[in-house]
Amino acid sequence: MEAIVLEVPHGRDGLRPGARTGVWCATKLATDAGGWRQINRGGNPMMWPIFWPNDTDFSDPANTRHPSEDVAAFGRTIADQVAKVVAATGTSADPTGYGRTVAGQLLPDVLPYVVGTPASFGFATRNGRTRADNAPEVMMSLVTSMAVPSGLTPATTQAQRTDQFPYVVPE
C-alpha cells in the first residue's frame, strides 16, 4: 500500500482556517544537466486511469503541464468524453451540459480543500480526502452520473490505517 499524507499547519496567513486551497503533486527525475524534469503529476484521484488510460509510458503532454493550463488544454476533451458516457448510458437529459459541469469540477486537476474543515471525497462534494474515502467509486459515479458501487467500505481497509502519523500501518 502506498500513501501520501499532507499535514497543513495553520500558522501561515494563506493557510488560515476557511482558506480555500488546491493540492497537486509532481514526479520529477534528475537530468544529466543537473536539473529536474517533470514526468508526471496528479491532483484528483483517478484522473489518469479514467481520462488517459493508455498513458502507461508517461508520454502524454499533460504529465509536464502545470494545472493552470488544464482548462485550456483538456476542458473540452474531458467534457466531450463525459458527455459521450452519459449519452450512452442515458443518465443525463443534457449530456453536453453535464460533461461541461464535470470538467469544470475536475479542472484544474488539483484536490480542493478548505483549511480547517473535515475532509471528504464524495460524489456531491470533494473537499480533500480521508484515508477511508473510496475515490475510485466516487470518480466513476461522477463521470457516469450514476452510482458505481464497488462494495468497498471504510472497514475494508481499517487494518491498514491508524490515527497516528504517518497513518499507514507498516507491512
Side-chain angles (χ1 to χ4, degrees), residues 79-126:
D80 290 348
Q81 287 176 342
V82 172
K84 287 177 185 175
V85 169
V86 297
T89 59
T91 55
S92 174
D94 178 11
T96 301
Y98 185 79
R100 277 189 294 233
T101 298
V102 170
Q105 290 177 358
L106 296 177
L107 298 176
D109 183 18
V110 296
L111 184 62
Y113 179 65
V114 177
V115 177
T117 63
S120 175
F121 194 85
F123 182 66
T125 304
R126 284 158 309 284

mmCIF file of all heavy atoms in Angstrom, residues 79-126:
data_model
loop_
_atom_site.group_PDB
_atom_site.id
_atom_site.type_symbol
_atom_site.label_atom_id
_atom_site.label_comp_id
_atom_site.label_asym_id
_atom_site.label_seq_id
_atom_site.Cartn_x
_atom_site.Cartn_y
_atom_site.Cartn_z
ATOM 1 N N ALA A 79 -14.885 17.217 -21.113
ATOM 2 C CA ALA A 79 -16.329 17.458 -21.218
ATOM 3 C C ALA A 79 -16.939 16.547 -22.278
ATOM 4 O O ALA A 79 -18.009 15.952 -22.060
ATOM 5 C CB ALA A 79 -16.593 18.921 -21.532
ATOM 6 N N ASP A 80 -16.287 16.419 -23.419
ATOM 7 C CA ASP A 80 -16.791 15.568 -24.504
ATOM 8 C C ASP A 80 -16.797 14.096 -24.113
ATOM 9 O O ASP A 80 -17.748 13.363 -24.416
ATOM 10 C CB ASP A 80 -15.958 15.752 -25.774
ATOM 11 C CG ASP A 80 -16.167 17.105 -26.437
ATOM 12 O OD1 ASP A 80 -17.125 17.832 -26.053
ATOM 13 O OD2 ASP A 80 -15.359 17.446 -27.333
ATOM 14 N N GLN A 81 -15.740 13.638 -23.425
ATOM 15 C CA GLN A 81 -15.685 12.239 -23.006
ATOM 16 C C GLN A 81 -16.813 11.916 -22.026
ATOM 17 O O GLN A 81 -17.490 10.894 -22.154
ATOM 18 C CB GLN A 81 -14.335 11.918 -22.363
ATOM 19 C CG GLN A 81 -13.200 11.848 -23.344
ATOM 20 C CD GLN A 81 -11.854 11.612 -22.662
ATOM 21 O OE1 GLN A 81 -11.693 11.818 -21.466
ATOM 22 N NE2 GLN A 81 -10.883 11.175 -23.448
ATOM 23 N N VAL A 82 -17.019 12.796 -21.056
ATOM 24 C CA VAL A 82 -18.087 12.575 -20.077
ATOM 25 C C VAL A 82 -19.445 12.630 -20.774
ATOM 26 O O VAL A 82 -20.326 11.800 -20.504
ATOM 27 C CB VAL A 82 -18.001 13.600 -18.926
ATOM 28 C CG1 VAL A 82 -19.219 13.504 -18.017
ATOM 29 C CG2 VAL A 82 -16.720 13.378 -18.123
ATOM 30 N N ALA A 83 -19.626 13.576 -21.678
ATOM 31 C CA ALA A 83 -20.896 13.689 -22.404
ATOM 32 C C ALA A 83 -21.204 12.414 -23.181
ATOM 33 O O ALA A 83 -22.357 11.954 -23.201
ATOM 34 C CB ALA A 83 -20.853 14.896 -23.345
ATOM 35 N N LYS A 84 -20.194 11.816 -23.802
ATOM 36 C CA LYS A 84 -20.407 10.574 -24.548
ATOM 37 C C LYS A 84 -20.832 9.439 -23.629
ATOM 38 O O LYS A 84 -21.702 8.633 -23.978
ATOM 39 C CB LYS A 84 -19.137 10.192 -25.309
ATOM 40 C CG LYS A 84 -18.878 11.063 -26.506
ATOM 41 C CD LYS A 84 -17.567 10.701 -27.180
ATOM 42 C CE LYS A 84 -17.268 11.680 -28.312
ATOM 43 N NZ LYS A 84 -15.945 11.435 -28.909
ATOM 44 N N VAL A 85 -20.220 9.367 -22.444
ATOM 45 C CA VAL A 85 -20.567 8.302 -21.491
ATOM 46 C C VAL A 85 -22.006 8.460 -21.021
ATOM 47 O O VAL A 85 -22.785 7.502 -21.049
ATOM 48 C CB VAL A 85 -19.591 8.300 -20.287
ATOM 49 C CG1 VAL A 85 -20.109 7.396 -19.176
ATOM 50 C CG2 VAL A 85 -18.208 7.872 -20.729
ATOM 51 N N VAL A 86 -22.389 9.664 -20.596
ATOM 52 C CA VAL A 86 -23.754 9.830 -20.068
ATOM 53 C C VAL A 86 -24.799 9.767 -21.178
ATOM 54 O O VAL A 86 -25.936 9.368 -20.928
ATOM 55 C CB VAL A 86 -23.895 11.096 -19.200
ATOM 56 C CG1 VAL A 86 -23.000 11.011 -17.971
ATOM 57 C CG2 VAL A 86 -23.639 12.368 -19.979
ATOM 58 N N ALA A 87 -24.423 10.123 -22.402
ATOM 59 C CA ALA A 87 -25.357 9.963 -23.522
ATOM 60 C C ALA A 87 -25.597 8.477 -23.788
ATOM 61 O O ALA A 87 -26.739 8.044 -24.017
ATOM 62 C CB ALA A 87 -24.822 10.649 -24.773
ATOM 63 N N ALA A 88 -24.530 7.684 -23.739
ATOM 64 C CA ALA A 88 -24.647 6.248 -23.997
ATOM 65 C C ALA A 88 -25.437 5.536 -22.905
ATOM 66 O O ALA A 88 -26.170 4.587 -23.190
ATOM 67 C CB ALA A 88 -23.260 5.626 -24.141
ATOM 68 N N THR A 89 -25.278 5.985 -21.669
ATOM 69 C CA THR A 89 -25.980 5.330 -20.560
ATOM 70 C C THR A 89 -27.347 5.935 -20.300
ATOM 71 O O THR A 89 -28.140 5.372 -19.544
ATOM 72 C CB THR A 89 -25.150 5.402 -19.264
ATOM 73 O OG1 THR A 89 -24.916 6.780 -18.945
ATOM 74 C CG2 THR A 89 -23.839 4.650 -19.402
ATOM 75 N N GLY A 90 -27.617 7.106 -20.891
ATOM 76 C CA GLY A 90 -28.910 7.761 -20.682
ATOM 77 C C GLY A 90 -29.092 8.319 -19.289
ATOM 78 O O GLY A 90 -30.213 8.464 -18.804
ATOM 79 N N THR A 91 -27.984 8.657 -18.622
ATOM 80 C CA THR A 91 -28.072 9.135 -17.237
ATOM 81 C C THR A 91 -28.162 10.643 -17.106
ATOM 82 O O THR A 91 -28.175 11.164 -15.991
ATOM 83 C CB THR A 91 -26.868 8.622 -16.418
ATOM 84 O OG1 THR A 91 -25.657 9.012 -17.079
ATOM 85 C CG2 THR A 91 -26.920 7.099 -16.267
ATOM 86 N N SER A 92 -28.221 11.365 -18.212
ATOM 87 C CA SER A 92 -28.374 12.817 -18.158
ATOM 88 C C SER A 92 -29.263 13.273 -19.312
ATOM 89 O O SER A 92 -29.097 12.818 -20.446
ATOM 90 C CB SER A 92 -27.010 13.505 -18.263
ATOM 91 O OG SER A 92 -27.177 14.911 -18.343
ATOM 92 N N ALA A 93 -30.181 14.188 -19.002
ATOM 93 C CA ALA A 93 -31.035 14.759 -20.045
ATOM 94 C C ALA A 93 -30.255 15.728 -20.921
ATOM 95 O O ALA A 93 -30.657 16.025 -22.039
ATOM 96 C CB ALA A 93 -32.229 15.464 -19.405
ATOM 97 N N ASP A 94 -29.132 16.226 -20.406
ATOM 98 C CA ASP A 94 -28.294 17.180 -21.140
ATOM 99 C C ASP A 94 -26.839 16.713 -21.047
ATOM 100 O O ASP A 94 -26.059 17.236 -20.251
ATOM 101 C CB ASP A 94 -28.455 18.580 -20.539
ATOM 102 C CG ASP A 94 -27.583 19.627 -21.218
ATOM 103 O OD1 ASP A 94 -26.996 19.336 -22.286
ATOM 104 O OD2 ASP A 94 -27.476 20.743 -20.660
ATOM 105 N N PRO A 95 -26.472 15.714 -21.837
ATOM 106 C CA PRO A 95 -25.110 15.181 -21.757
ATOM 107 C C PRO A 95 -24.022 16.235 -21.953
ATOM 108 O O PRO A 95 -23.022 16.231 -21.235
ATOM 109 C CB PRO A 95 -25.058 14.126 -22.862
ATOM 110 C CG PRO A 95 -26.470 13.707 -23.048
ATOM 111 C CD PRO A 95 -27.287 14.953 -22.807
ATOM 112 N N THR A 96 -24.204 17.137 -22.898
ATOM 113 C CA THR A 96 -23.196 18.164 -23.146
ATOM 114 C C THR A 96 -23.034 19.069 -21.933
ATOM 115 O O THR A 96 -21.907 19.359 -21.506
ATOM 116 C CB THR A 96 -23.569 18.992 -24.390
ATOM 117 O OG1 THR A 96 -23.658 18.101 -25.504
ATOM 118 C CG2 THR A 96 -22.535 20.064 -24.677
ATOM 119 N N GLY A 97 -24.137 19.506 -21.364
ATOM 120 C CA GLY A 97 -24.083 20.353 -20.169
ATOM 121 C C GLY A 97 -23.482 19.622 -18.982
ATOM 122 O O GLY A 97 -22.691 20.189 -18.230
ATOM 123 N N TYR A 98 -23.848 18.351 -18.812
ATOM 124 C CA TYR A 98 -23.287 17.570 -17.710
ATOM 125 C C TYR A 98 -21.784 17.403 -17.896
ATOM 126 O O TYR A 98 -21.010 17.546 -16.945
ATOM 127 C CB TYR A 98 -23.967 16.197 -17.589
ATOM 128 C CG TYR A 98 -23.486 15.420 -16.393
ATOM 129 C CD1 TYR A 98 -23.967 15.709 -15.121
ATOM 130 C CD2 TYR A 98 -22.516 14.433 -16.511
ATOM 131 C CE1 TYR A 98 -23.502 15.022 -14.005
ATOM 132 C CE2 TYR A 98 -22.044 13.742 -15.415
ATOM 133 C CZ TYR A 98 -22.547 14.037 -14.156
ATOM 134 O OH TYR A 98 -22.073 13.365 -13.053
ATOM 135 N N GLY A 99 -21.362 17.126 -19.113
ATOM 136 C CA GLY A 99 -19.933 16.982 -19.386
ATOM 137 C C GLY A 99 -19.165 18.245 -19.041
ATOM 138 O O GLY A 99 -18.101 18.189 -18.423
ATOM 139 N N ARG A 100 -19.719 19.400 -19.421
ATOM 140 C CA ARG A 100 -19.057 20.671 -19.092
ATOM 141 C C ARG A 100 -19.007 20.895 -17.584
ATOM 142 O O ARG A 100 -18.002 21.381 -17.053
ATOM 143 C CB ARG A 100 -19.772 21.836 -19.770
ATOM 144 C CG ARG A 100 -19.347 22.045 -21.189
ATOM 145 C CD ARG A 100 -19.919 23.326 -21.719
ATOM 146 N NE ARG A 100 -21.356 23.167 -21.766
ATOM 147 C CZ ARG A 100 -22.130 23.381 -22.817
ATOM 148 N NH1 ARG A 100 -21.646 23.849 -23.906
ATOM 149 N NH2 ARG A 100 -23.408 23.171 -22.782
ATOM 150 N N THR A 101 -20.079 20.534 -16.881
ATOM 151 C CA THR A 101 -20.112 20.696 -15.426
ATOM 152 C C THR A 101 -19.045 19.838 -14.754
ATOM 153 O O THR A 101 -18.315 20.300 -13.877
ATOM 154 C CB THR A 101 -21.506 20.339 -14.867
ATOM 155 O OG1 THR A 101 -22.461 21.252 -15.426
ATOM 156 C CG2 THR A 101 -21.543 20.425 -13.353
ATOM 157 N N VAL A 102 -18.936 18.585 -15.172
ATOM 158 C CA VAL A 102 -17.930 17.687 -14.583
ATOM 159 C C VAL A 102 -16.523 18.190 -14.894
ATOM 160 O O VAL A 102 -15.668 18.237 -14.006
ATOM 161 C CB VAL A 102 -18.135 16.238 -15.068
ATOM 162 C CG1 VAL A 102 -16.963 15.347 -14.660
ATOM 163 C CG2 VAL A 102 -19.429 15.676 -14.516
ATOM 164 N N ALA A 103 -16.275 18.596 -16.127
ATOM 165 C CA ALA A 103 -14.951 19.133 -16.475
ATOM 166 C C ALA A 103 -14.640 20.356 -15.617
ATOM 167 O O ALA A 103 -13.509 20.518 -15.141
ATOM 168 C CB ALA A 103 -14.889 19.482 -17.958
ATOM 169 N N GLY A 104 -15.632 21.187 -15.374
ATOM 170 C CA GLY A 104 -15.441 22.364 -14.526
ATOM 171 C C GLY A 104 -15.145 22.020 -13.079
ATOM 172 O O GLY A 104 -14.445 22.750 -12.388
ATOM 173 N N GLN A 105 -15.668 20.892 -12.618
ATOM 174 C CA GLN A 105 -15.406 20.453 -11.244
ATOM 175 C C GLN A 105 -14.025 19.805 -11.106
ATOM 176 O O GLN A 105 -13.406 19.892 -10.052
ATOM 177 C CB GLN A 105 -16.470 19.458 -10.784
ATOM 178 C CG GLN A 105 -17.820 20.071 -10.563
ATOM 179 C CD GLN A 105 -18.864 19.031 -10.188
ATOM 180 O OE1 GLN A 105 -18.591 17.833 -10.132
ATOM 181 N NE2 GLN A 105 -20.070 19.495 -9.918
ATOM 182 N N LEU A 106 -13.569 19.149 -12.153
ATOM 183 C CA LEU A 106 -12.314 18.395 -12.075
ATOM 184 C C LEU A 106 -11.083 19.172 -12.531
ATOM 185 O O LEU A 106 -9.967 18.745 -12.265
ATOM 186 C CB LEU A 106 -12.432 17.110 -12.897
ATOM 187 C CG LEU A 106 -13.468 16.099 -12.407
ATOM 188 C CD1 LEU A 106 -13.524 14.908 -13.344
ATOM 189 C CD2 LEU A 106 -13.189 15.667 -10.977
ATOM 190 N N LEU A 107 -11.291 20.262 -13.237
ATOM 191 C CA LEU A 107 -10.162 21.045 -13.736
ATOM 192 C C LEU A 107 -10.154 22.430 -13.122
ATOM 193 O O LEU A 107 -11.219 23.024 -12.969
ATOM 194 C CB LEU A 107 -10.220 21.148 -15.258
ATOM 195 C CG LEU A 107 -10.124 19.830 -16.010
ATOM 196 C CD1 LEU A 107 -10.294 20.069 -17.500
ATOM 197 C CD2 LEU A 107 -8.826 19.104 -15.725
ATOM 198 N N PRO A 108 -9.011 22.968 -12.776
ATOM 199 C CA PRO A 108 -7.709 22.336 -12.925
ATOM 200 C C PRO A 108 -7.593 21.098 -12.039
ATOM 201 O O PRO A 108 -8.285 20.987 -11.024
ATOM 202 C CB PRO A 108 -6.723 23.421 -12.483
ATOM 203 C CG PRO A 108 -7.501 24.296 -11.567
ATOM 204 C CD PRO A 108 -8.918 24.254 -12.068
ATOM 205 N N ASP A 109 -6.725 20.198 -12.429
ATOM 206 C CA ASP A 109 -6.565 18.934 -11.710
ATOM 207 C C ASP A 109 -5.785 19.152 -10.418
ATOM 208 O O ASP A 109 -4.594 18.869 -10.317
ATOM 209 C CB ASP A 109 -5.864 17.905 -12.600
ATOM 210 C CG ASP A 109 -5.744 16.549 -11.935
ATOM 211 O OD1 ASP A 109 -6.473 16.290 -10.958
ATOM 212 O OD2 ASP A 109 -4.913 15.739 -12.390
ATOM 213 N N VAL A 110 -6.498 19.682 -9.437
ATOM 214 C CA VAL A 110 -5.970 19.855 -8.087
ATOM 215 C C VAL A 110 -7.026 19.332 -7.129
ATOM 216 O O VAL A 110 -8.220 19.376 -7.419
ATOM 217 C CB VAL A 110 -5.637 21.339 -7.757
ATOM 218 C CG1 VAL A 110 -4.532 21.854 -8.652
ATOM 219 C CG2 VAL A 110 -6.856 22.213 -7.838
ATOM 220 N N LEU A 111 -6.598 18.796 -6.009
ATOM 221 C CA LEU A 111 -7.522 18.310 -4.992
ATOM 222 C C LEU A 111 -7.938 19.501 -4.130
ATOM 223 O O LEU A 111 -7.106 20.069 -3.421
ATOM 224 C CB LEU A 111 -6.860 17.228 -4.138
ATOM 225 C CG LEU A 111 -7.741 16.567 -3.086
ATOM 226 C CD1 LEU A 111 -8.924 15.850 -3.732
ATOM 227 C CD2 LEU A 111 -6.920 15.579 -2.274
ATOM 228 N N PRO A 112 -9.206 19.930 -4.195
ATOM 229 C CA PRO A 112 -9.625 21.104 -3.429
ATOM 230 C C PRO A 112 -9.774 20.789 -1.944
ATOM 231 O O PRO A 112 -10.112 19.667 -1.570
ATOM 232 C CB PRO A 112 -10.986 21.448 -4.046
ATOM 233 C CG PRO A 112 -11.515 20.145 -4.548
ATOM 234 C CD PRO A 112 -10.304 19.351 -4.971
ATOM 235 N N TYR A 113 -9.516 21.807 -1.123
ATOM 236 C CA TYR A 113 -9.679 21.651 0.326
ATOM 237 C C TYR A 113 -9.861 23.018 0.964
ATOM 238 O O TYR A 113 -9.183 23.980 0.597
ATOM 239 C CB TYR A 113 -8.461 20.946 0.943
ATOM 240 C CG TYR A 113 -8.592 20.784 2.443
ATOM 241 C CD1 TYR A 113 -9.577 19.977 2.987
ATOM 242 C CD2 TYR A 113 -7.757 21.469 3.303
ATOM 243 C CE1 TYR A 113 -9.719 19.840 4.361
ATOM 244 C CE2 TYR A 113 -7.889 21.334 4.680
ATOM 245 C CZ TYR A 113 -8.874 20.519 5.204
ATOM 246 O OH TYR A 113 -9.015 20.394 6.555
ATOM 247 N N VAL A 114 -10.782 23.097 1.908
ATOM 248 C CA VAL A 114 -10.967 24.295 2.721
ATOM 249 C C VAL A 114 -10.297 24.018 4.056
ATOM 250 O O VAL A 114 -10.708 23.102 4.790
ATOM 251 C CB VAL A 114 -12.464 24.646 2.904
ATOM 252 C CG1 VAL A 114 -12.615 25.846 3.821
ATOM 253 C CG2 VAL A 114 -13.121 24.910 1.552
ATOM 254 N N VAL A 115 -9.238 24.774 4.349
ATOM 255 C CA VAL A 115 -8.417 24.549 5.540
ATOM 256 C C VAL A 115 -9.285 24.607 6.803
ATOM 257 O O VAL A 115 -10.117 25.488 6.971
ATOM 258 C CB VAL A 115 -7.285 25.596 5.628
ATOM 259 C CG1 VAL A 115 -6.473 25.412 6.908
ATOM 260 C CG2 VAL A 115 -6.382 25.495 4.400
ATOM 261 N N GLY A 116 -9.070 23.627 7.684
ATOM 262 C CA GLY A 116 -9.758 23.587 8.970
ATOM 263 C C GLY A 116 -11.114 22.919 8.933
ATOM 264 O O GLY A 116 -11.804 22.875 9.939
ATOM 265 N N THR A 117 -11.506 22.366 7.793
ATOM 266 C CA THR A 117 -12.804 21.690 7.698
ATOM 267 C C THR A 117 -12.579 20.190 7.544
ATOM 268 O O THR A 117 -11.500 19.758 7.135
ATOM 269 C CB THR A 117 -13.620 22.208 6.490
ATOM 270 O OG1 THR A 117 -12.914 21.908 5.285
ATOM 271 C CG2 THR A 117 -13.850 23.711 6.596
ATOM 272 N N PRO A 118 -13.594 19.395 7.880
ATOM 273 C CA PRO A 118 -13.427 17.952 7.716
ATOM 274 C C PRO A 118 -13.236 17.579 6.249
ATOM 275 O O PRO A 118 -13.950 18.079 5.373
ATOM 276 C CB PRO A 118 -14.742 17.375 8.240
ATOM 277 C CG PRO A 118 -15.341 18.446 9.084
ATOM 278 C CD PRO A 118 -14.876 19.749 8.492
ATOM 279 N N ALA A 119 -12.282 16.724 5.981
ATOM 280 C CA ALA A 119 -12.048 16.239 4.619
ATOM 281 C C ALA A 119 -13.115 15.225 4.257
ATOM 282 O O ALA A 119 -13.572 14.449 5.099
ATOM 283 C CB ALA A 119 -10.664 15.612 4.521
ATOM 284 N N SER A 120 -13.511 15.255 2.992
ATOM 285 C CA SER A 120 -14.480 14.285 2.490
ATOM 286 C C SER A 120 -14.407 14.267 0.973
ATOM 287 O O SER A 120 -14.539 15.306 0.333
ATOM 288 C CB SER A 120 -15.899 14.647 2.930
ATOM 289 O OG SER A 120 -16.828 13.760 2.342
ATOM 290 N N PHE A 121 -14.191 13.107 0.417
ATOM 291 C CA PHE A 121 -14.159 12.955 -1.026
ATOM 292 C C PHE A 121 -15.379 12.136 -1.404
ATOM 293 O O PHE A 121 -15.372 10.912 -1.356
ATOM 294 C CB PHE A 121 -12.866 12.258 -1.469
ATOM 295 C CG PHE A 121 -12.616 12.375 -2.946
ATOM 296 C CD1 PHE A 121 -11.975 13.495 -3.452
ATOM 297 C CD2 PHE A 121 -13.035 11.398 -3.819
ATOM 298 C CE1 PHE A 121 -11.745 13.628 -4.812
ATOM 299 C CE2 PHE A 121 -12.811 11.507 -5.180
ATOM 300 C CZ PHE A 121 -12.165 12.631 -5.673
ATOM 301 N N GLY A 122 -16.469 12.847 -1.734
ATOM 302 C CA GLY A 122 -17.726 12.181 -2.036
ATOM 303 C C GLY A 122 -18.274 12.589 -3.382
ATOM 304 O O GLY A 122 -17.744 13.464 -4.064
ATOM 305 N N PHE A 123 -19.388 11.958 -3.777
ATOM 306 C CA PHE A 123 -19.997 12.213 -5.076
ATOM 307 C C PHE A 123 -20.465 13.664 -5.190
ATOM 308 O O PHE A 123 -20.222 14.319 -6.186
ATOM 309 C CB PHE A 123 -21.173 11.256 -5.296
ATOM 310 C CG PHE A 123 -21.828 11.412 -6.636
ATOM 311 C CD1 PHE A 123 -21.154 11.093 -7.799
ATOM 312 C CD2 PHE A 123 -23.123 11.876 -6.739
ATOM 313 C CE1 PHE A 123 -21.751 11.229 -9.045
ATOM 314 C CE2 PHE A 123 -23.732 12.017 -7.979
ATOM 315 C CZ PHE A 123 -23.044 11.684 -9.131
ATOM 316 N N ALA A 124 -21.101 14.184 -4.146
ATOM 317 C CA ALA A 124 -21.633 15.548 -4.208
ATOM 318 C C ALA A 124 -20.590 16.610 -3.878
ATOM 319 O O ALA A 124 -20.623 17.705 -4.419
ATOM 320 C CB ALA A 124 -22.820 15.685 -3.260
ATOM 321 N N THR A 125 -19.665 16.293 -2.987
ATOM 322 C CA THR A 125 -18.680 17.282 -2.546
ATOM 323 C C THR A 125 -17.309 16.637 -2.439
ATOM 324 O O THR A 125 -17.173 15.547 -1.909
ATOM 325 C CB THR A 125 -19.067 17.838 -1.153
ATOM 326 O OG1 THR A 125 -20.375 18.371 -1.220
ATOM 327 C CG2 THR A 125 -18.106 18.907 -0.717
ATOM 328 N N ARG A 126 -16.318 17.353 -2.939
ATOM 329 C CA ARG A 126 -14.944 16.908 -2.809
ATOM 330 C C ARG A 126 -14.172 17.994 -2.086
ATOM 331 O O ARG A 126 -13.977 19.091 -2.613
ATOM 332 C CB ARG A 126 -14.355 16.604 -4.195
ATOM 333 C CG ARG A 126 -14.871 15.274 -4.742
ATOM 334 C CD ARG A 126 -14.795 15.130 -6.216
ATOM 335 N NE ARG A 126 -15.369 16.226 -6.984
ATOM 336 C CZ ARG A 126 -16.674 16.428 -7.162
ATOM 337 N NH1 ARG A 126 -17.536 15.617 -6.603
ATOM 338 N NH2 ARG A 126 -17.111 17.437 -7.881
#
